[in-house]
Amino acid sequence: MRTKWSIKSKLLTRRLAVLSISALMISTLAACGGSSNPPTAKEAGKYEVTPGDPFSAYKDEITVTMGRVTTANPKLPAGDSYENNAYTRLVKKAFNAQIKDQFEANGEDYSRQVSLAIASGELPDMMRVDSKDELKELVDNDLIEDMTEIYKQYATDNIKNIYDSYEGRALDNATIDGRLMALPATSLDSAPTMVWVRQDWLDLLGIQLDADGDGAIKLDDVEKTAEEFLKRDPGQTGKPVGIPFVNTLNTTDYNGSAYTMLGVASTKGSFPQYWMKGEDGSIVYGSTTKETKQMLGVMADWFKRGIIDPQFGTRTFDDITALYTNGQCGIAFGPWHIPDWGLGNVKQKDKNAKFTAYTLEDADGKVNVAHANPANQFIVVRKGYEHPELAVKIVNLFYDKLANDKNVGTSMPEAAKYQENGVDGSTRPFNIEVNSATSLLDDYSDIVRGIKGEISLDQVRTTESKNNIKSIQTYLSDMDTDNVTAWSKYHSRINGVGLIDKLTRENKFVWMTPAYSGTTPSMKQTWANLTKMEQESFIKIVTGAEPLNYFDTFVSNWKKQGGDQVIQEIKDEVASKK
């Protein structure tokens, strides 16, 4: 078991060794008449051409090592890599800073690399961490830089305005004991989870969904459509499959809601894995409510009737994506942007594929959604790195300058080409998003007005929106185009974000504000087991291995094995902040 003392002990040993070497070097240099080493940027800013300038380069080339979060299909051009691509070359050109990757990984592999780095104390100069727990551990062991004053000095006004649009939620999430210890990702509201249905299959079978055209359908509509797809096999595969779901089933991140049952849960007013306020004001864990039990009853019924994939619980994420790509299933639950990275594979294989996005409404015709928790992704800087301000400069470059440059095709042509070709954002130095709280709908407004010719491309706020307008215009000029990027941008922006915009304007959403999003002391010991218990119990109920009333047994066990203690700690923490 790793302890704070064991980490500190390792670090102390290493630092004493470094100090001994440093002392010897200083003595030697003094004997030779003085040091030729320049002072660090933190001491005097001497490495910068213009100290304090958010976009100033360094006089001499500097190196920054990174931990990089990768993705399976980044769409990098031949010859480019995560370490050497248009974006890393842009950093070199802008700041005279060379990026070297200490490690690259995705998913759980990345989490393991971060854990190893923390355990050994051998951190890269910068890396992303994916939980508040990890951030706190780094702070507790004095492993990362305090970014408070550096942020104030170097962040551009635009970046500060972006963070401020969350009314403190974003920066507060990265603040510990009053000090800003990381640069947080932002997490804008991107609800709801959508139901993406093969429109070409609906047309082929003569099925009309959403007769009133309001974009919202009921569970019965999904059931009937899934049954028709299974019976009539419009993909002509000979082996159609029911709706697939990941075995984790739930998420508190609408952006990561692909193949989850968050949409189904919403129809019952259920918010699994969210911390909520009960009717009496108490703290309630959403996975233990009567509404969640009702939702599991729907899922169990669907599984029994074949509406859910019979191999639910065993398929990987990639396996599920393959079902859509192969034409075995035509109903997918997921976020507004799933056409950009998931459903685009369907278009590549079937040029006739088209999807329409719907959302699920409850019995009263409302769409139940939750406000986003603050993002638990943070960019941290290793304690002792001479140029911590470079982290803020990189944020300025990618989330302000590149995002807003009206002449990016001329000023940053390589990066502009990446955006035009849909190269994945993970290839940027920091695999995070830093967007204003209203950016999704602001960008949609620009795109629609740009397509209609109501504003010129020069009046469009962001480079990404300009590229999206061009792609969507390409699609609209030929809806049978083989251009997958044009197809995906039309589907994600016009169908996906367009639905969010419509429902927002029509006041169709009923919002739930999470009561808590942090980590309590006992969670560190119990949460992994509680989460495993939850997942296994839900799978058993859905697949019929246990009856629906087994849910009550799960709730009882959850409370006894640490849930009640966690709730008490949340109550105490919330009360202490009042």
Side-chain angles (χ1 to χ4, degrees):
M1 179 178 177
R2 188 169 73 251
T3 65
K4 293 180 184 178
W5 174 248
S6 66
I7 296 174
K8 287 182 176 178
S9 178
K10 292 177 184 176
L11 292 173
L12 181 60
T13 302
R14 193 174 78 250
R15 287 172 182 166
L16 286 172
V18 170
L19 287 170
S20 299
I21 295 170
S22 299
L24 180 61
M25 289 176 65
I26 291 169
S27 300
T28 304
L29 288 168
C32 296
S35 172
S36 61
N37 291 333
T40 66
K42 283 194 295 182
E43 291 170 341
K46 292 285 181 71
Y47 282 151
E48 294 179 271
V49 174
T50 309
D53 183 341
F55 295 106
S56 177
Y58 297 91
K59 295 177 183 178
D60 301 318
E61 180 181 297
I62 67 169
T63 299
V64 55
T65 59
M66 288 196 180
R68 299 286 293 278
V69 184
T70 63
T71 192
N73 181 27
K75 300 181 183 177
L76 280 165
D80 280 2
S81 64
Y82 270 90
E83 188 174 76
N84 182 17
N85 62 58
Y87 293 141
T88 60
R89 291 189 288 269
L90 180 60
V91 172
K92 177 65 171 67
K93 181 179 179 182
F95 302 127
N96 200 19
Q98 187 72 45
I99 292 175
K100 298 290 184 184
D101 291 349
Q102 183 165 314
F103 56 83
E104 298 175 358
N106 187 23
E108 293 181 0
D109 289 337
Y110 181 79
S111 298
R112 280 192 286 271
Q113 291 282 1
V114 171
S115 295
L116 287 171
I118 295 174
S120 66
E122 301 292 339
L123 273 61
D125 298 326
M126 299 176 191
M127 67 177 179
R128 190 182 95 181
V129 296
D130 291 340
S131 74
K132 192 71 175 279
D133 260 359
E134 288 176 327
L135 179 62
K136 287 179 177 177
E137 186 174 8
L138 288 164
V139 172
D140 289 346
N141 290 286
D142 197 25
L143 291 173
I144 56 175
E145 286 287 341
D146 180 342
M147 301 296 289
T148 309
E149 298 306 319
I150 296 167
Y151 171 79
K152 290 178 183 177
Q153 183 178 3
Y154 283 93
T156 64
D157 288 342
N158 279 342
I159 292 299
K160 289 176 180 175
N161 288 336
I162 286 172
Y163 280 124
D164 290 346
S165 72
Y166 293 88
E167 300 178 339
R169 295 193 305 274
L171 291 179
D172 285 354
N173 199 36
T175 300
I176 296 176
D177 295 332
R179 310 301 295 174
L180 182 67
M181 299 305 299
L183 300 176
T186 58
S187 185
L188 61 151
D189 285 328
S190 54
T193 295
M194 296 176 185
V195 187
W196 292 88
V197 184
R198 284 284 296 261
Q199 185 61 47
D200 54 316
W201 289 5
L202 294 174
D203 295 340
L204 177 67
L205 302 180
I207 299 172
Q208 184 181 18
L209 267 179
D210 190 27
D212 60 6
D214 67 353
I217 59 178
K218 289 189 164 53
L219 282 177
D220 285 349
D221 298 313
V222 177
E223 291 178 12
K224 292 173 184 176
T225 303
E227 287 174 332
E228 285 297 302
F229 284 178
L230 285 167
K231 181 171 66 177
R232 301 169 69 180
D233 188 18
Q236 297 182 343
T237 63
K239 45 185 178 183
V241 174
I243 304 169
F245 291 90
V246 287
N247 56 20
T248 50
L249 278 175
N250 297 308
T251 179
T252 57
D253 175 14
Y254 283 93
N255 271 314
S257 63
Y259 315 148
T260 69
M261 62 180 182
L262 189 55
V264 179
S266 70
T267 66
K268 303 300 179 185
S270 166
F271 295 97
Q273 297 187 353
Y274 281 90
W275 292 103
M276 309 160 58
K277 275 191 177 179
E279 294 178 0
D280 60 355
S282 61
I283 298 293
V284 177
Y285 183 53
S287 296
T288 64
T289 64
K290 66 180 186 298
E291 291 82 5
T292 296
K293 182 178 181 179
Q294 292 170 0
M295 176 266 296
L296 288 171
V298 171
M299 295 288 289
D301 178 60
W302 278 11
F303 185 85
K304 185 178 180 180
R305 293 161 55 193
I307 292 170
I308 289 179
D309 169 22
Q311 292 187 40
F312 162 68
T314 61
R315 291 197 200 268
T316 66
F317 194 93
D318 289 342
D319 291 339
I320 293 173
T321 300
L323 293 177
Y324 296 108
T325 305
N326 296 335
Q328 293 175 258
C329 187
I331 301 175
F333 284 87
W336 64 264
H337 50 79
I338 195 173
D340 291 342
W341 50 267
L343 302 183
N345 297 328
V346 181
K347 170 66 175 177
Q348 282 184 319
K349 188 160 184 179
D350 184 351
K351 66 178 183 178
N352 297 314
K354 292 180 176 66
F355 283 85
T356 297
Y358 305 94
T359 191
L360 286 170
E361 62 184 7
D362 64 15
D364 298 322
K366 289 292 186 178
V367 179
N368 300 306
V369 287
H371 283 300
N373 283 316
N376 280 324
Q377 296 175 342
F378 309 93
I379 299 299
V380 297
V381 179
R382 175 181 60 80
K383 185 70 175 282
Y385 179 57
E386 290 185 326
H387 310 285
E389 73 285 343
L390 178 60
V392 182
K393 290 185 173 189
I394 289 173
V395 168
N396 294 338
L397 177 62
F398 285 92
Y399 306 102
D400 181 358
K401 193 169 186 178
L402 178 60
N404 299 308
D405 192 328
K406 301 289 185 183
N407 301 301
V408 68
T410 302
S411 59
M412 293 173 269
E414 262 203 314
K417 195 68 175 176
Y418 264 38
Q419 293 184 325
E420 184 179 336
N421 293 338
V423 175
D424 194 79
S426 67
T427 58
R428 296 170 300 189
F430 298 155
N431 189 355
I432 62 170
E433 297 300 333
V434 181
N435 299 306
S436 71
T438 61
S439 63
L440 189 64
L441 297 185
D442 292 342
D443 290 345
Y444 175 75
S445 175
D446 275 7
I447 289 169
V448 171
R449 290 186 297 152
I451 291 169
K452 292 179 178 179
E454 295 174 359
I455 58 174
S456 69
L457 285 181
D458 288 341
Q459 293 173 294
V460 175
R461 294 178 314 108
T462 69
T463 303
E464 183 180 9
S465 291
K466 288 181 184 178
N467 290 329
N468 287 334
I469 289 170
K470 294 175 185 176
S471 292
I472 293 167
Q473 287 174 332
T474 296
Y475 179 79
L476 290 173
S477 67
D478 177 14
M479 291 191 176
D480 294 321
T481 179
D482 291 331
N483 187 324
V484 176
T485 298
W487 181 95
S488 65
K489 297 305 179 186
Y490 174 85
H491 278 74
S492 62
R493 269 64 182 184
I494 302 304
N495 284 354
V497 183
L499 180 58
I500 295 175
D501 181 73
K502 180 179 185 297
L503 296 172
T504 300
R505 287 186 286 103
E506 295 174 355
N507 196 31
K508 191 102 174 179
F509 290 134
V510 176
W511 289 96
M512 186 277 289
T513 300
Y516 183 76
S517 63
T519 302
T520 72
S522 69
M523 277 185 178
K524 296 176 183 179
Q525 283 75 44
T526 63
W527 203 248
N529 288 333
L530 290 175
T531 300
K532 182 180 179 183
M533 179 200 304
E534 176 181 332
Q535 181 180 334
E536 291 177 348
S537 298
F538 284 14
I539 289 174
K540 289 176 182 177
I541 293 170
V542 171
T543 58
E546 294 285 357
L548 182 58
N549 283 340
Y550 182 73
F551 179 82
D552 301 328
T553 301
F554 152 69
V555 173
S556 176
N557 290 337
W558 184 89
K559 290 181 176 182
K560 291 176 183 175
Q561 295 182 32
D564 278 344
Q565 176 65 27
V566 170
I567 288 175
Q568 185 58 52
E569 290 172 352
I570 293 174
K571 288 179 180 177
D572 294 343
E573 184 175 336
V574 171
S576 70
K577 293 180 179 179
K578 290 181 179 179

